[in-house]
Amino acid sequence: MYNLSHPGEIIRESYLDELNISLNNLAKQLGVNPSILSRLVDGKSSISPVMAIRLPKVLNGTPEFWLNLQQSYTLWQALQTNDSAGLRKLEQLAEQRT
């Protein structure tokens, strides 16, 4: 399995770096405090539904696109750190008891 990028990294690479736009300028266009955007592009916070509505107005995509990116990343992170090897389906537990 490949390493998924945090959506903030995509914003940094595809928009800030590639288009040579400052974080402060993008934050202003989005109508958010630069510290909020900084936390997002640094991977320290997630894309909220409100941010997902704002991003396509200034960048590309749809709110669903941005939320799906965040959800995919969050799930991937959980899969990397969660040990579910000892979990069993309820049917298997019932079979063991009989």
Side-chain angles (χ1 to χ4, degrees):
M1 183 169 225
Y2 56 93
N3 187 5
L4 284 182
S5 296
H6 185 280
E9 186 178 334
I10 294 167
I11 293 169
R12 177 183 302 281
E13 291 175 1
S14 298
Y15 296 99
L16 296 177
D17 294 347
E18 195 170 302
L19 299 176
N20 197 27
I21 298 171
S22 74
L23 186 132
N24 286 342
N25 189 13
L26 181 56
K28 182 178 180 180
Q29 295 301 316
L30 290 168
V32 300
N33 190 300
S35 65
I36 291 172
L37 185 58
S38 178
R39 290 187 49 77
L40 177 60
V41 299
D42 289 342
K44 295 178 181 175
S45 67
S46 300
I47 292 178
S48 68
V50 172
M51 183 63 81
I53 291 169
R54 291 172 182 255
L55 287 169
K57 302 286 186 185
V58 177
L59 306 178
N60 291 319
T62 64
E64 294 83 6
F65 167 79
W66 290 104
L67 284 177
N68 286 336
L69 272 180
Q70 183 62 57
Q71 185 176 25
S72 295
Y73 175 79
T74 303
L75 178 59
W76 182 83
Q77 285 290 104
L79 288 169
Q80 303 311 302
T81 59
N82 189 342
D83 181 14
S84 59
L87 301 178
R88 300 286 179 256
K89 296 238 183 235
L90 288 177
E91 294 86 15
Q92 291 173 337
L93 291 174
E95 289 174 5
Q96 289 176 351
R97 290 185 178 174
T98 58

